[in-house]
């Protein structure tokens, strides 16, 4: 495990991951994750081949470590129609260019945790997703026992949409995964049956109120009360009946 500690006033800076970060990136991944990543993955990250990435560095470090990774996030753009969350998105399926950003890996070395670095890295991804007009969401998987990560995504308004049974296979053992989504650029989840039913009831109630009001106005316009003395009494009675709740009595 890399044993780097922040100074009393760390100067955290975010930049893209570079080819010179390759060795450190592989080391941190090996320290943090039980899953082993292929060399091709790291080459794609440092060279920006279909992967976008951000590095966190502490510029207050000395002895040539001021540009060394202390945190990172990697992500990839995928087509919404080809993703596993396509059924949980409300988007125009006729537009084949609708995309999502999938977070691949996120990590911070132990000495720099609880400083808000992971949150800042996620915000960089969200900012990037917002800048892509066709992007409708950011999504990721979290292993079910990683409670700090689950808490972080909940705090950052990601929605946990699904629990995937046996998603990870680590050392011959299966582990569940949670699927988290953060909607951007108008993306949203499809309405649930309850939401649809509630919307229909509200629509019918408003339509009934509007129709009743129109019928009452039309009825008032159709009724012509004669101006004889007797009918003036009827008019008075009608007004008093309408105001009965105020305590008026018919004369």
């Amino acid at each position: 495990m890399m044993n780097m500690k922040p100074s009393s006033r760390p100067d955290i800076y975010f930049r893209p991951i570079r080819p010179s970060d390759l060795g450190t990136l592989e080391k941190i991944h090996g320290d943090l994750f039980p899953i082993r990543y292929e060399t091709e993955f790291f080459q794609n990250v440092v060279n920006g081949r279909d992967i976008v990435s951000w590095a966190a560095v502490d510029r207050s470090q000395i002895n040539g470590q001021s540009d060394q990774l202390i945190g990172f996030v990697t992500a990839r753009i995928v087509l919404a129609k080809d993703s596993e969350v396509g059924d949980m998105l409300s988007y125009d399926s006729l537009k084949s260019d609708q995309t999502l950003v999938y977070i691949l890996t996120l990590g911070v070395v132990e000495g720099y945790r609880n400083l808000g670095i992971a949150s800042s890295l996620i915000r960089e991804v969200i900012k990037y997703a917002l800048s892509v007009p066709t992007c409708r969401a950011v999504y990721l998987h979290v292993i079910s026992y990683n409670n700090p990560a689950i808490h972080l995504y909940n705090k950052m308004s990601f929605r946990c949409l699904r629990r995937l049974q046996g998603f990870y296979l680590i050392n011959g053992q299966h582990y569940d995964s949670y699927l988290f989504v953060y909607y951007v650029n108008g993306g949203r989840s499809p309405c649930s049956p309850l939401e649809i039913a509630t919307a229909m009831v509200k629509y019918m109630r408003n339509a009934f109120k509007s129709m009743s009001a129109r019928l009452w106005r039309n009825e008032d316009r159709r009724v012509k009360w004669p101006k004889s003395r007797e009918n003036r009494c009827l008019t008075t009675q009608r007004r008093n009946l309408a105001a009965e709740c105020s305590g008026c009595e018919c004369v």
Side-chain angles (χ1 to χ4, degrees):
M1 175 72 72
M2 293 186 65
N3 188 23
M4 296 182 64
K5 293 184 179 180
S7 63
S8 58
R9 299 183 65 180
D11 181 14
I12 307 301
Y13 173 71
F14 301 95
R15 61 166 175 77
I17 293 178
R18 304 166 181 165
S20 58
D21 297 318
L22 178 61
T24 305
L25 186 68
E26 289 182 309
K27 179 69 168 66
I28 300 177
H29 274 74
D31 289 342
L32 297 182
F33 304 125
I35 299 173
R36 293 295 170 256
Y37 292 86
E38 300 293 333
T39 301
E40 183 182 4
F41 167 75
F42 296 108
Q43 289 290 342
N44 290 339
V45 172
V46 300
N47 291 292
R49 298 175 189 152
D50 298 323
I51 293 178
V52 292
S53 63
W54 290 263
V57 300
D58 182 2
R59 293 191 293 192
S60 67
Q61 286 284 345
I62 58 176
N63 299 325
Q65 293 183 313
S66 61
D67 199 45
Q68 186 167 311
L69 269 67
I70 51 92
F72 60 85
V73 63
T74 64
R76 173 184 288 131
I77 292 182
V78 299
L79 288 174
K81 65 178 183 179
D82 296 334
S83 74
E84 62 190 293
V85 298
D87 63 324
M88 289 174 282
L89 279 169
S90 178
Y91 66 95
D92 189 349
S93 59
L94 297 178
K95 295 182 179 179
S96 59
D97 63 343
Q98 302 293 283
T99 59
L100 309 171
V101 171
Y102 177 48
I103 294 180
L104 301 166
T105 60
L106 169 71
V108 178
V109 300
E110 188 172 3
Y112 281 84
R113 293 175 188 169
N114 300 315
L115 296 178
I117 295 173
S119 300
S120 296
L121 287 166
I122 294 169
R123 281 192 285 269
E124 291 293 333
V125 178
I126 293 173
K127 189 191 307 180
Y128 171 76
L130 287 167
S131 73
V132 180
T134 59
C135 184
R136 294 294 173 263
V138 177
Y139 77 105
L140 56 99
H141 296 95
V142 179
I143 199 164
S144 57
Y145 60 71
N146 192 344
N147 293 322
I150 293 169
H151 174 74
L152 172 64
Y153 292 120
N154 281 323
K155 184 178 69 174
M156 297 194 70
S157 300
F158 278 73
R159 294 183 60 182
C160 183
L161 297 186
R162 184 175 292 171
R163 180 168 181 147
L164 304 172
Q165 302 291 328
F167 182 83
Y168 292 106
L169 177 61
I170 302 172
N171 298 325
Q173 185 172 349
H174 287 277
Y175 296 89
D176 294 350
S177 166
Y178 291 109
L179 177 63
F180 281 88
V181 175
Y182 184 99
Y183 297 106
V184 298
N185 298 330
R188 61 180 179 83
S189 63
C191 291
S192 67
L194 178 59
E195 290 173 321
I196 294 174
T198 301
M200 289 182 63
V201 170
K202 184 177 180 180
Y203 172 80
M204 293 176 65
R205 184 186 297 120
N206 291 337
F208 178 77
K209 288 181 179 178
S210 178
M211 184 180 298
S212 297
R214 283 200 302 272
L215 289 173
W216 180 259
R217 287 196 298 270
N218 291 338
E219 185 68 23
D220 280 350
R221 282 197 293 268
R222 283 199 299 268
V223 174
K224 301 295 183 181
W225 297 97
K227 296 185 178 180
S228 64
R229 185 173 181 277
E230 291 81 2
N231 286 324
R232 280 200 300 273
C233 179
L234 289 174
T235 301
T236 303
Q237 291 177 354
R238 181 172 175 268
R239 288 174 180 166
N240 287 333
L241 283 170
E244 190 175 33
C245 61
S246 64
C248 295
E249 296 179 355
C250 295
V251 177

